[in-house]
Amino acid sequence: MPWQIPASLLVGLTGGLALYGTDIETGSELLLTVSSSGQIMLLAFFIAPAHGSSAMTPLGRLVYGALLGGLTAGIGVDSAGIAISVLLANFCAPLLDQLFGPAPFGAASAGSGDEL
C-alpha cells in the first residue's frame, strides 16, 4: 500500500477542517475526534488507496489524497459525504496521472539539443 495517499488524506482533512472553521472552544476537540474516527481511518487505509481507482504516480497520489481529504472536510464527514468525496476524487484521478506522470520513454527532454 502506498503511504502517500493516507498521509496526504489525513493532512488534507485536518487542513480542510481548520480552513472551513469550527467553533473556537470546541475546535481542537472536534478536529482530533473527527480525524481519528473509524470512518476516516477506513477511508484513509482501505477505500482511498484502491489500485483500480486512485492515482498511480507518487505526486499524483499526494495530490489525490489531499484533494480527497479537502473534499471530505467540505462536503461532510458522514457516510454520504465520504462516498460523494470518493466519487469526485476518483473522477479526477486520470487527470492527476496525466498531469504528474513521467515523460514517455524516448521523448526528448527540453534543451537536449536533439531538435531538428
Side-chain angles (χ1 to χ4, degrees), residues 53 64 67-68 70-72 74-75 80-96:
S53 60
Y64 173 80
L67 174 70
L68 184 55
L71 283 172
T72 303
I75 294 174
I82 289 174
I84 293 169
S85 300
V86 168
L87 284 174
L88 291 175
N90 285 345
F91 287 140
C92 297
L95 178 65
L96 294 174

Side-chain angles (χ1 to χ4, degrees), residues 46-59:
F46 293 105
I47 298 171
H51 294 292
S53 60
S54 64
M56 293 292 145
T57 60
L59 186 56

Side-chain angles (χ1 to χ4, degrees), residues 24-112:
I24 298 297
E25 289 82 24
T26 61
S28 62
E29 296 169 3
L30 177 68
L31 192 65
L32 183 63
T33 304
V34 168
S35 297
S36 62
S37 71
Q39 289 179 349
I40 298 301
M41 292 301 131
L42 283 173
L43 174 66
F45 292 102
F46 293 105
I47 298 171
H51 294 292
S53 60
S54 64
M56 293 292 145
T57 60
L59 186 56
R61 288 179 186 147
L62 286 172
V63 174
Y64 173 80
L67 174 70
L68 184 55
L71 283 172
T72 303
I75 294 174
V77 189
D78 57 341
S79 300
I82 289 174
I84 293 169
S85 300
V86 168
L87 284 174
L88 291 175
N90 285 345
F91 287 140
C92 297
L95 178 65
L96 294 174
D97 282 336
Q98 187 176 12
L99 287 175
F100 300 113
F105 182 74
S109 63
S112 63

